[in-house]
Amino acid sequence: QNSIPNAHVQLKSNGKYFLFTSERNGLVDMMYGHSQNEDSVIISSIGYKTVRTTIRQLENLSAIQLEDESIVLSEVTIEPQETELIKMGNLQQKVMLLIPLSPNKKIAFYIPNHGTEWYIHSIRVFIADAKLLGSEKGTKRMPFRVRLYDGETFFKNELITDTLIAAMKPNEQHWVNVNISSFNLKLPKDGVYIIIETFLTEFYLENGYLKSPSYTKKVSVAGGKPVSAEIANSFYIPMTKLTPDNPLLQSYQYVSVNFEQALRSTDAKFDSLYPEAKTKKDYVAKKNQFRSSSMRSEYSDIWDSVRLSPNYAPEWAKSYALGDLNYLIQLEVETKK
């Protein structure tokens, strides 16, 4: 007789059910020490007749024989359902601004659901190469992580727990398409948050996506002469005006930075560049001008929100909306024709 692997053995004891599975050799280890003689046992496996017995009866058996059972199904015809892909999200094409997505950064984009029953086919992210702005050539091919959250809760209920890593293919120019149709994910009734996360600088350097973590560029500070500044190599995501026919779309930035430490670092840089400024009457005003310019260039993702508020937290981490601009991010959803 052949052994039957993966057969189900169900024990009902003390009003509770316990399920065990046979091993490759057909043996079952029923690790439960409180069974009674009259407890019921049900043994089943696809292609065999189900056996119903008790613990008392099993004690006298060295093996359990299952009889073959043929299951005849009526004829079934499988036909493909005609569907079409519809784009939703930011459908604007006129770019107003390019936002750098440097290493170890996170942005979010909310797409509402207006009562549809559609399934998400893919996520589309428009990536711009920043070589004209000074970044290394090819930064638009830096990989990033994509995450999806239910729109009902703010970044709490993640819809796909698998790690989704995307990157622009060699034959693609701007749009990165992340096909998630295999997850059979229905668009939540409260919409969806799309999160784009970049990895640490070390990841991009060690894997050859970047040759250097930053580049040097001349910037004007405190109304004075331009000085050299280190700017992170990154790819860029365009932003457009809010879509008039879909005003619920909303972009977010998430930041986690020790803001107090950033201010001290900025002040130290000002004192090193302009050592004579301490003797001038307008020292505080000039330093604040430098803070504004420097923080905008190095910590632009938080400056407009914090603005040197006296109430900022030492460890400042939050998500906040970006106003009347939206990232060029879309969903492709599948709907019946």
Side-chain angles (χ1 to χ4, degrees), residues 169-290:
K169 298 177 181 177
N171 61 335
E172 293 175 334
Q173 293 301 314
H174 291 294
W175 284 103
V176 176
N177 291 274
V178 187
N179 190 325
I180 59 170
S181 57
S182 61
F183 292 94
N184 200 32
L185 181 62
K186 194 173 185 179
L187 182 64
K189 65 180 180 65
D190 294 299
V192 63
Y193 289 104
I194 302 172
I195 313 295
I196 307 297
E197 294 181 3
T198 50
F199 303 109
L200 295 175
T201 302
E202 290 76 13
F203 169 84
Y204 295 114
L205 292 173
E206 292 171 3
N207 291 279
Y209 294 106
L210 290 177
K211 295 179 182 178
S212 172
S214 61
Y215 62 95
T216 303
K217 186 176 182 179
K218 293 285 187 179
V219 296
S220 297
V221 294
K225 61 181 181 179
V227 297
S228 295
E230 292 292 318
I231 299 176
N233 276 312
S234 57
F235 62 84
Y236 283 64
I237 294 185
M239 299 197 80
T240 71
K241 283 284 188 180
L242 283 177
T243 309
D245 57 348
N246 202 352
L248 295 179
L249 295 174
Q250 185 60 69
S251 291
Y252 298 85
Q253 285 205 27
Y254 179 90
V255 292
S256 181
V257 64
N258 188 323
F259 193 70
E260 191 173 3
Q261 181 178 349
L263 284 179
R264 288 198 299 268
S265 175
T266 301
D267 290 347
K269 184 184 293 186
F270 175 78
D271 290 337
S272 65
L273 290 172
Y274 307 102
E276 74 285 354
K278 286 186 177 181
T279 61
K280 304 293 179 62
K281 293 182 179 179
D282 59 352
Y283 170 70
V284 173
K286 288 291 185 183
K287 185 172 70 172
N288 285 337
Q289 285 182 343
F290 183 85

Side-chain angles (χ1 to χ4, degrees), residues 70-170:
S70 298
I71 301 175
V72 179
L73 300 177
S74 58
E75 183 177 325
V76 177
T77 302
I78 301 176
E79 296 179 349
Q81 186 180 56
E82 287 193 57
T83 61
E84 63 178 333
L85 296 179
I86 296 177
K87 292 182 178 65
M88 48 188 312
N90 190 353
L91 305 182
Q92 298 289 315
Q93 296 296 323
K94 187 176 180 181
V95 175
M96 306 294 294
L97 188 67
L98 290 178
I99 297 295
L101 207 57
S102 51
N104 196 26
K105 193 171 180 179
K106 185 190 306 183
I107 64 169
F109 183 52
Y110 172 70
I111 298 179
N113 180 7
H114 299 290
T116 71
E117 297 288 331
W118 296 339
Y119 285 80
I120 301 175
H121 180 274
S122 57
I123 303 155
R124 291 165 45 85
V125 183
F126 194 98
I127 303 296
D129 202 329
K131 62 182 180 180
L132 295 178
L133 301 176
S135 281
E136 288 181 11
K137 181 180 179 181
T139 53
K140 68 179 180 180
R141 306 200 185 277
M142 293 165 57
F144 52 89
R145 182 177 182 182
V146 180
R147 307 176 81 161
L148 293 177
Y149 289 83
D150 192 320
E152 182 180 8
T153 55
F154 200 69
F155 308 150
K156 289 184 179 180
N157 181 23
E158 190 159 10
L159 300 175
I160 298 177
T161 56
D162 291 15
T163 301
L164 303 177
I165 298 178
M168 186 176 293
K169 298 177 181 177

